[in-house]
Amino acid sequence: MVWQNWSGRHRAADATLLHVRSEADAQARIAESSGPVRICGAGHSHAPLVPTDGTILDLSGLAGVISSDQQSRRAWVGAASRIFSLGRPLHQAGLALINQGDIDQQAICGAVATGTHGTGHTLRNLSAAVTGVRLITADGKALTVNESENTDLWPAIRLHLGAFGVITRLELQCREAYRLRERGWKATFTDLEADIPSLIEEHRHFEFFWYPHNDTAIAKTIDETEDEPEYPLAAEGGRCAWSYEVLPNHRPDKHTEMEYSVPAAQGLACFKAIRELLQTRFTNVRWPVEYRTLAADDVWLSSAYQRDTVTISVHQDVNEDETAYYQACEAIFLAFDGRPHWGKVHYLSGDELARRHPKWQDWWRVRNAVDPEGRFLNDHLRRLRGG
Ligand SMILES: Cc1cc2nc3c(=O)[nH]c(=O)nc-3n(C[C@H](O)[C@H](O)[C@H](O)COP(=O)(O)OP(=O)(O)OC[C@H]3O[C@@H](n4cnc5c(N)ncnc54)[C@H](O)[C@@H]3O)c2cc1C
């Protein structure tokens, strides 16, 4: 069986793909072997984070809500739980994820590995919701990592890039179950522009997709409501139901994606520079640009580390060569002090990443201490590290 990612862009033809269904098996496999190991989630990263010519571990069997605590509103979940599989059991425990991304197909541990996020200016990414981790290290030991145990690992591991070891379960900060009402509409960018700051400020969630061929945006707001859920669910843009039913969308068209996080105050200016690029140099691109917001956090490699953020994503069909378009976008993002999404396309070197992430060297120091031989690295991560 050959591992490949969601878009088919990345394959690991020479890897041995193994399925692990218990923590004990994961420990034994790591302890008894010596070659490189990567762990796959749901394969939804556009960056080549998983491929290796060693072993790829698929932890799909380690899924589901393991325990939940009403008082702290925290839950331990299997690392490979697909996000869509968490909604219902958390709801039955009176809980819900604080926010979710555009889709809910990712494994929760894969999503936190790259700082996956949704939208909302007061809402942080999924990595910031992690309150504990169960880790199998390169020597086969199982550790619990949280604010009070193995504290050296703690600030680094919430956004881990699969580079610390095998994570078998995660503890997540949730909140009480809640209902949401979504409102979507279409507008020309010129009509929408003036309202964007107040739409961000006044709504729990605001985002838009802008389409270059007609200069039109599909915008939406989502807010908490006490209204009863409306079934059958309306289409995207008109739903009213529990959070786990309203937040995820269906995005089946195969594409590649680049996303950068820029300081919130620079978001609109950066978006307008990307819009001008599409209107003047890349007039054949039909895929939209997505605009979202994200609250500052304290996760070392988070794209929102210590700064309120706007995220801007550009897309291209998976069968097209996106390089020239993405390189031109990246030059703009960098001019706006952007930080790349770890799960999407970017062309930065370790030195460039170090300039953008104040905790870059600290993250590698902590990582290298727990895996000195680099067993949990692949070519992509070694390139990011710089050698
Ligand atoms: C259609 C689509 C929509 C998307 N929407 C959004 C969005 O709205 N917001 C956003 O921020 N991103 C989005 N993304 C990006 C996506 O959320 C991230 O790339 C995410 O990391 C993918 O998760 P995954 O489970 O597929 O993990 P993979 O891509 O399989 O792996 C990601 C990383 O996690 C590591 N990993 C996975 N499981 C473990 C484990 N148990 N132990 C140790 N390491 C592990 C892997 O080694 C790898 O480094 C989207 C991607 C696609 C294709």
Side-chain angles (χ1 to χ4, degrees):
M1 253 163 60
V2 174
W3 179 91
Q4 66 172 44
N5 77 332
W6 170 83
S7 70
R9 262 299 167 88
H10 302 298
R11 287 165 67 81
D14 297 327
T16 305
L17 184 61
L18 294 175
H19 294 265
V20 170
R21 294 183 174 81
S22 67
E23 186 175 292
D25 192 34
Q27 275 184 282
R29 288 219 179 269
I30 299 302
E32 80 182 10
S33 68
S34 57
V37 179
R38 295 295 292 158
I39 307 97
C40 63
H44 276 61
S45 292
H46 301 281
L49 285 164
V50 173
T52 174
D53 52 13
T55 301
I56 297 178
L57 296 183
D58 180 327
L59 271 59
S60 300
L62 295 176
V65 175
I66 297 162
S67 63
S68 60
D69 180 60
Q70 276 292 337
Q71 213 165 4
S72 64
R73 298 192 170 115
R74 290 180 178 182
W76 278 97
V77 301
S81 311
R82 298 289 197 101
I83 294 173
F84 63 75
S85 75
L86 296 175
R88 186 87 189 129
L90 285 177
H91 182 76
Q92 281 165 343
L95 299 176
L97 296 178
I98 296 167
N99 200 8
Q100 295 182 213
D102 264 354
I103 59 160
D104 58 4
Q105 302 298 307
Q106 307 95 324
I108 187 69
C109 193
V112 307
T114 64
T116 293
H117 61 90
T119 190
H121 74 295
T122 62
L123 303 171
R124 304 187 302 169
N125 66 22
L126 282 167
S127 312
V130 175
T131 52
V133 157
R134 184 82 171 157
L135 175 74
I136 314 293
T137 54
D139 52 11
K141 288 205 182 84
L143 306 177
T144 299
V145 185
N146 57 34
E147 254 181 320
S148 50
E149 285 171 271
N150 293 297
T151 48
D152 48 334
L153 284 168
W154 174 243
I157 204 165
R158 282 180 292 170
L159 197 160
H160 56 84
L161 302 179
F164 286 71
V166 182
I167 294 176
T168 56
R169 54 173 76 181
L170 293 167
E171 189 189 46
L172 298 173
Q173 183 64 56
C174 301
R175 54 158 287 178
E176 71 280 6
Y178 59 111
R179 280 167 272 182
L180 293 170
R181 182 174 284 283
E182 176 187 48
R183 184 176 79 86
W185 72 102
K186 194 171 172 177
T188 64
F189 179 70
T190 317
D191 285 346
L192 183 69
E193 182 182 355
D195 296 332
I196 290 172
S198 57
L199 286 165
I200 289 172
E201 205 58 40
E202 289 164 15
H203 295 277
R204 188 174 194 267
H205 311 257
F206 168 72
E207 70 180 42
F208 66 87
F209 279 93
W210 172 78
Y211 289 82
H213 64 283
N214 57 6
D215 200 15
T216 293
I218 306 287
K220 73 171 156 179
T221 57
I222 309 179
D223 288 291
E224 282 192 60
T225 181
E226 295 299 318
D227 294 348
E228 287 302 317
E230 294 166 6
Y231 300 121
L233 280 187
E236 180 180 352
R239 292 167 287 190
C240 177
W242 295 100
S243 59
Y244 67 93
E245 299 176 298
V246 174
L247 291 171
N249 306 295
H250 188 47
R251 303 270 185 262
D253 299 331
K254 293 286 159 74
H255 59 269
T256 61
E257 185 169 341
M258 166 179 277
E259 177 186 302
Y260 266 76
S261 289
V262 301
Q266 300 283 309
L268 257 183
C270 181
F271 169 78
K272 283 163 81 172
I274 296 286
R275 174 172 170 251
E276 190 184 334
L277 181 79
L278 277 151
Q279 289 176 331
T280 54
R281 279 185 55 200
F282 293 94
T283 49
N284 288 336
V285 175
R286 312 288 288 183
W287 285 72
V289 180
E290 187 177 19
Y291 192 96
R292 293 185 279 183
T293 56
L294 184 58
D297 62 45
D298 61 353
V299 176
W300 276 4
L301 286 198
S302 169
S303 71
Y305 180 71
Q306 292 188 341
R307 74 181 195 197
D308 288 331
T309 288
V310 158
T311 70
I312 301 175
S313 325
V314 295
H315 310 76
Q316 180 56 292
D317 191 283
V318 73
N319 297 312
E320 300 280 337
D321 180 359
E322 71 285 352
T323 318
Y325 172 42
Y326 286 5
Q327 281 176 342
C329 290
E330 186 164 76
I332 292 172
F333 289 135
L334 296 180
F336 283 91
D337 199 15
R339 294 171 180 159
H341 190 303
W342 296 108
K344 304 189 184 180
V345 179
H346 70 85
Y347 307 106
L348 298 193
S349 66
D351 285 348
E352 289 162 319
L353 289 163
R355 283 199 288 280
R356 277 151 216 290
H357 282 283
K359 293 291 184 184
W360 181 247
Q361 303 300 354
D362 292 317
W363 189 89
W364 279 102
R365 177 180 46 75
V366 170
R367 196 224 74 84
N368 291 343
V370 79
D371 175 27
E373 288 169 18
R375 287 190 64 199
F376 290 102
L377 299 180
N378 66 359
D379 288 348
H380 176 67
L381 289 171
R382 272 189 292 274
R383 192 185 66 74
L384 297 191
R385 184 183 60 181

